[in-house]
Amino acid sequence: MIKKCMFPVAGYGTRFLPATKAMPKEMLPIVNKPLVQYGVEEALDAGLYEIAFVTGRGKRTINDHFDISYELEHQIAGTDKEQYLVGIRDIIDRAVFSTTRQREMKGLGHAILTGETLVGDEPFGVILADDLCFNEGGDSVMAQMVKVFRQVRCSIVAIEEVPEDQIHKFGCIDGEAVRDDLFRVTNMVEKPRKEEAPSNLAIIGRYILTPDIFDILRRTPPGKNGEIQITDALLQQARDGCVMAYRFKGQRFDCGSVDGFVEATNYCYEHLYKRGKL
Ligand code: G1P
């Protein structure tokens, strides 16, 4: 049903300079895997095997990572080092990758609109690799959202409660609860000031979008910070029809910040690496 997943990966990663001067932030490793690989694994876990990268200048290594490295494979063939490539080889076998380039950085909404050519006229997932999500022993966040989509058939954003003094970093929703973990969106604001926030429910980097979002994005004027915001387009979609907000099970690390990145690294080391799951 949903088979495509878009990864907007054109951002500069200024918070990690100088590490990101010549290397995409999505290639920074959490223990021994680049951030973007965790995202692609989550997409595959949810059954989304057509991976659509919206990249920019300086992001070629992302494409190289999801391709065969003949020289390296030849070098380590038959040695005990081959085991380290099993996981990524499996991903390359199971997924299909396509790429388009975002020439100008005009916001997440603009990035998603740029990816239209790779997605076409079908519902699709969006994963922001900066938000690293785990749900140990259960469905991944995107897999949970695909299940919800089967029931609601409209765009869905993943949300979590955040402290009031953090809401200015996120898109914020207001909505009517239709069940404990699901809201019908009535309002959405991109990075509101604390006193203007309609709730403490923050959007995190997982979306399922229906393709009518593209026409809405084409008509969406620049919003917060002069950028075309997916949050603004989703509010329009909610007013025209329906958008749902899903409170996911699991935990999220903001790997776009140094604190979140270190927390994620410690978590992966303790919970995955030491248990032989990385
Ligand atoms: C983007 C979205 C924001 C969302 C966030 C989740 O912001 O615009 O609505 O809450 O991702 O990570 P960014 O963090 O890219 O500025």
Side-chain angles (χ1 to χ4, degrees), residues 232-245:
D232 296 342
L234 280 163
L235 175 58
Q236 191 57 49
Q237 203 180 34
R239 286 180 174 151
D240 294 348
C242 176
V243 171
M244 304 301 283

Side-chain angles (χ1 to χ4, degrees), residues 108 128 131 169-171 190-191 203-205 207 229 231:
L108 180 57
L128 307 185
D131 281 330
K169 296 180 182 167
F170 300 90
E190 178 66 10
K191 304 198 176 88
I203 301 171
I204 66 118
Y207 305 78
Q229 299 292 349
T231 307

